[in-house]
Amino acid sequence: MPCETRDPTPPAPLRKYNRTIDLEKLQAVSDAIIADDEVPRDDPDAQQAHELLAGTSMGGARPKVVVEAHDGLWLAKFNRVDDRWDHAKTERAMLLLAAECGIRSATSKCTTIGDRNVLLVKRFDREKEKHGYRRPHAERAHIAPRR
């Protein structure tokens, strides 16, 4: 009996992500958190509230959350209600400018929720597969020089 051949690639992790259609709800939760308003724990949208309350591993001071669209995962970066300028459009312009200068930059787009823009930045560190997402091989910058 021949041995079973296994794929050396680990399976994609199964996880439910927020959908891009939920951006309006996510913006409202973000506003409530920034305003120090109470976000009900029994809210049917508890996953979205939890994601924003817990923060992300992305770091930074801007409210953000990972969302899923038909073509993969995107990082949604919200403008704050007290912003003095449109951070989403400004960051998008910088990404486009970098690309025009020959610098590889992330795929991005802006969408409008109510009267504010949300910047969507494509996750380059997750590859969509049939049953989820996997991390392609990547090397961290602080490790590479040691080799």
Side-chain angles (χ1 to χ4, degrees):
M1 175 179 242
C3 292
E4 181 181 345
T5 309
R6 294 188 178 242
D7 183 356
T9 306
L14 298 177
R15 179 175 175 200
K16 262 191 123 163
Y17 289 94
N18 296 300
R19 306 289 298 179
T20 51
I21 58 172
D22 296 331
L23 285 174
E24 189 170 0
K25 291 178 198 172
L26 293 167
Q27 178 73 68
V29 171
S30 172
D31 290 347
I33 292 168
I34 290 167
D36 239 356
D37 292 342
E38 187 66 29
V39 178
R41 292 289 178 180
D42 59 347
D43 187 297
D45 298 321
Q47 180 198 5
Q48 287 93 342
H50 175 72
E51 289 290 325
L52 285 164
L53 283 169
T56 67
S57 61
M58 305 299 160
R62 311 295 308 164
K64 60 184 76 70
V65 67
V66 175
V67 294
E68 183 177 32
H70 70 282
D71 59 345
L73 298 178
W74 295 75
L75 182 63
K77 300 175 85 174
F78 299 100
N79 280 325
R80 293 173 47 138
V81 71
D82 59 347
D83 280 341
R84 294 176 63 175
W85 65 85
D86 190 332
H87 286 262
K89 275 193 170 180
T90 302
E91 186 171 343
R92 168 105 164 104
M94 296 302 106
L95 289 166
L96 293 173
L97 180 61
E100 286 294 316
C101 293
I103 300 169
R104 283 186 7 188
S105 60
T107 301
S108 64
K109 57 187 173 185
C110 273
T111 188
T112 303
I113 305 297
D115 63 346
R116 285 184 278 163
N117 289 308
V118 176
L119 174 64
L120 297 170
V121 180
K122 183 90 160 96
R123 293 286 306 259
F124 62 87
D125 61 342
R126 300 290 187 277
E127 290 179 354
K128 189 171 184 173
E129 294 190 346
K130 186 176 180 179
H131 298 292
Y133 296 88
R134 75 175 181 87
R135 291 180 185 209
H137 174 72
E139 193 166 26
R140 297 182 187 267
H142 71 279
I143 294 172
R146 296 182 195 165
R147 293 181 187 242

